[in-house]
Amino acid sequence: MKKLSLLLVFFGILLVYGNAFSQTITSAQPGPWNDINTWVGGSIPDFSNSASIIVNHDITIPTGYTATIDETTINAGSTVTVNTGGGLNIFNPGTDQLLVNGTLVGSQGSTITGADGTNVRISSTGTYRHAYTTGQGNIPLAIWDDGSLLNITGYTNFTTATVAGNWGQDFSNVTWNCTTQTGTLNLGGFLTTIRGDLNVLSTGTTGVVRFTATTPASISVGGNFNVSGGTRLTFCTTSTCTIDVTGDYTQNLSAGYVRFADAGANGIGTLNLTGNFNLQAGTLTENGGATARGNINFIGSAGTVHTFTEAGTPTSVLTNNLAYSVADDNELNAIGESQIAGGATSFFTLGTNSILRVASTDAAGAIQTGTGQSAASGNLRVTNGNRVYNAGSQIIYNGSSAQFMGTGQPVTAGITTMINNTARVSQVAGTTIALGGALTLQTGNLTISNATLTVSGVTDLQGGDILFTNAGTVRGLTLSGDVNLSGNISITSGTVNANIIFGGEITGGGVISFSGANSNVAINGTSDMVFPLSGPTSLEVLNYNRSGST
């Protein structure tokens, strides 16, 4: 009988223990983790007395206490904050021993241990907030689901990141928002992978965040790269730092700057951008030595279209040694009066078979000579001698109102100038432009008034006319290549000569008309031609120089 009683007691203990271990403990109200009032049933949970722990409120782990857990879920809208001197220990390996659907906060001087990269998951609604101030702290090794957030909020004067900070994880979204930061924090090239957005919102009133200093760095951003608020951000000092952005780059600073290189050193910062460029406010520059440079490369597969938008000086500033490039078979649209600009050693390269669309309506031309931003100076403002237009590239005028072609117009052989503006494009009066490539009027007219234009390549009037007029100064129109007249050419001579030269074949259903008494026309070439006059015509001089033809 005595043995039977002891056996019953033993099984009773096992039953009680088993029930305790299999129970789910859920928070009842906000409060400290180690307060019985915080939990339903008054049982403070840990790995040994529960099968699962559910947090539905804001819970703190206080100084001097360590919660050792497994099978724990922080639900959306709830926060667990590990206070200074407090600890959170994930006891077991295995998936989702800690599932963060809400927010987990690591404070200065707290410890989060046991995370091994597989047993903690920050879900699509989850956030880990890193609130360390003067020490680096350790970002928990975790699975970062798409949509999750690493939120850096605490740093004040911490200076140098190390590998122990666990910066090299495969993050989804990362936000830097250290509003009380005062020092320069060098991430040392350890931050490498962000599948979603990178947002830099604040570095305080004097703080700086630097991606790297002397160590080459490469960062992949699968979403957008956004810089705003009072932010001082630098890519590097003496080394290189390349950031590949699949989405857009947007900068809207109320104070501060973004620098590709800094501290007077000869570093090179590079922004490879598959999306769009949007400079709403603030300075984007390099602040390094003589050979420091900032590269802004528009990249993507064939047919990728990018937009370039900037608010204009003094709201937005693009300065010093900036080098822009558009990859082969890509397209860059300069929106409105946006200026692709830099200092005296700036560069612009348009790739093979690529397109630059210009929309400026400035009276001196959508593309002008000259360097640096100014109130009205066209869409391209980099050093004249450093503008490269590769074979097969196109310059397209597609403004929303009348535009002008000025002396900055590219004249490189092998490129096409295209008019796609129903409000017309006019060559700036008094200018002489010699296009080394083709001229296409896709939509809209080209007006040449008291100016001289030479086209070496094909002239293709698909959906517009050439309207040539001169007044008191001798001017000329030379179309050396073949001419397709789906549109018309109208020549009006004033009191002095209008010198018109045709050098190729003329085809199509359009006509060439002359008015005024001072048109001198030369028809050059080798084969027979039917010259498509609009009707009876009076010319001052006609030279027919097509040997062996009629």
Side-chain angles (χ1 to χ4, degrees):
M1 186 67 181
K2 184 175 182 179
K3 289 182 179 180
L4 180 59
S5 298
L6 289 173
L7 190 61
L8 290 173
V9 170
F10 173 74
F11 279 112
I13 292 171
L14 286 179
L15 181 62
V16 171
Y17 179 81
N19 287 339
F21 188 77
S22 64
Q23 68 180 328
T24 296
I25 300 179
T26 304
S27 66
Q29 62 182 30
W33 188 286
N34 57 343
D35 186 341
I36 61 174
N37 296 309
T38 302
W39 304 99
V40 174
S43 180
I44 299 171
D46 63 23
F47 78 100
S48 66
N49 68 356
S50 60
S52 62
I53 304 168
I54 306 297
V55 177
N56 291 324
H57 301 85
D58 293 343
I59 307 296
T60 58
I61 299 177
T63 301
Y65 182 81
T66 296
T68 300
I69 63 168
D70 63 359
E71 299 291 344
T72 297
T73 300
I74 304 171
N75 277 329
S78 304
T79 300
V80 172
T81 301
V82 188
N83 286 345
T84 300
L88 178 65
N89 178 38
I90 296 90
F91 182 73
N92 285 325
T95 304
D96 296 351
Q97 296 300 305
L98 173 58
L99 176 60
V100 181
N101 296 323
T103 302
L104 174 64
V105 181
S107 305
Q108 169 69 33
S110 66
T111 58
I112 299 176
T113 57
D116 61 12
T118 63
N119 60 357
V120 176
R121 180 184 298 273
I122 315 297
S123 78
S124 61
T125 61
T127 296
Y128 169 69
R129 185 160 66 86
H130 198 61
Y132 281 75
T133 55
T134 58
Q136 174 177 228
N138 302 323
I139 300 167
L141 293 171
I143 298 169
W144 301 83
D145 285 350
D146 290 345
S148 63
L149 174 63
L150 168 62
N151 193 9
I152 312 296
T153 62
Y155 288 129
T156 54
N157 59 357
F158 170 67
T159 57
T160 306
T162 67
V163 67
N166 298 330
W167 298 95
Q169 299 182 64
D170 185 2
F171 298 110
S172 179
N173 300 302
V174 175
T175 294
W176 191 284
N177 190 20
C178 297
T179 57
T180 58
Q181 184 177 343
T182 57
T184 297
L185 196 155
N186 173 22
L187 288 173
F190 291 110
L191 181 64
T192 59
T193 306
I194 302 163
R195 302 190 313 277
D197 295 341
L198 172 59
N199 302 295
V200 185
L201 306 183
S202 176
T203 60
T205 56
T206 59
V208 178
V209 61
R210 180 173 293 150
F211 290 123
T212 190
T214 60
T215 302
S218 179
I219 303 173
S220 172
V221 179
N224 301 317
F225 182 10
N226 304 306
V227 187
S228 61
T231 292
R232 291 153 192 83
L233 173 66
T234 65
F235 281 45
C236 61
T237 55
T238 61
S239 65
T240 61
C241 179
T242 299
I243 303 180
D244 298 312
V245 180
T246 301
D248 301 336
Y249 175 80
T250 300
Q251 178 176 321
N252 188 13
L253 298 181
S254 57
Y257 51 75
V258 176
R259 293 173 176 171
F260 287 102
D262 202 9
N266 291 319
I268 297 176
T270 298
L271 179 64
N272 291 327
L273 193 57
T274 306
N276 303 315
F277 179 93
N278 184 14
L279 179 57
Q280 298 175 359
T283 296
L284 179 61
T285 185
E286 56 81 17
N287 193 45
T291 61
R293 187 171 70 250
N295 298 320
I296 302 174
N297 301 323
F298 295 92
I299 64 172
S301 58
T304 300
V305 178
H306 317 264
T307 60
F308 185 99
T309 306
E310 63 89 27
T313 183
T315 302
S316 64
V317 178
L318 291 159
T319 186
N320 292 346
N321 185 5
L322 300 179
Y324 303 87
S325 73
V326 182
D328 295 350
D329 300 298
N330 277 228
E331 179 178 324
L332 179 62
N333 296 342
I335 304 300
E337 298 300 325
S338 298
Q339 295 176 10
I340 304 168
T345 52
S346 52
F347 294 79
F348 177 81
T349 301
L350 187 61
T352 302
N353 299 323
S354 294
I355 296 172
L356 173 64
R357 292 183 183 268
V358 291
S360 172
T361 59
D362 189 79
I367 303 177
Q368 303 176 27
T369 58
T371 301
Q373 291 171 290
S374 64
S377 52
N379 290 132
L380 188 58
R381 298 293 296 174
V382 301
T383 306
N384 297 332
N386 296 339
R387 302 178 184 184
V388 177
Y389 305 92
N390 283 296
S393 60
Q394 299 179 51
I395 307 298
I396 300 179
Y397 287 74
N398 69 327
S400 58
S401 57
Q403 291 181 272
F404 299 87
M405 184 188 301
T407 54
Q409 170 65 31
V411 297
T412 308
I415 71 169
T416 297
T417 299
M418 181 178 291
I419 308 302
N420 188 16
N421 183 339
T422 57
R424 84 168 188 279
V425 174
S426 300
Q427 184 174 334
V428 175
T431 62
T432 297
I433 298 175
L435 300 179
L439 171 65
T440 299
L441 274 61
Q442 186 177 55
T443 305
N445 298 333
L446 174 61
T447 299
I448 307 166
S449 180
N450 293 312
T452 295
L453 176 66
T454 298
V455 181
S456 296
V458 172
T459 300
D460 188 1
L461 278 61
Q462 299 175 358
D465 302 335
I466 292 178
L467 309 175
F468 180 90
T469 306
N470 78 322
T473 303
V474 176
R475 298 294 181 187
L477 173 64
T478 300
L479 304 180
S480 300
D482 294 341
V483 178
N484 171 42
L485 287 181
S486 295
N488 304 310
I489 298 176
S490 174
I491 311 295
T492 302
S493 62
T495 56
V496 296
N497 291 342
N499 297 322
I500 313 301
I501 301 174
F502 296 94
E505 302 301 312
I506 301 177
T507 58
V511 298
I512 302 173
S513 62
F514 294 87
S515 62
N518 294 297
S519 291
N520 297 333
V521 179
I523 302 175
N524 301 327
T526 57
S527 60
D528 294 345
M529 172 191 286
V530 175
F531 195 85
L533 290 171
S534 60
T537 299
S538 175
L539 302 175
E540 183 178 42
V541 176
L542 172 63
N543 290 314
Y544 190 80
N545 302 314
R546 299 175 74 88
S547 60
S549 65
T550 57

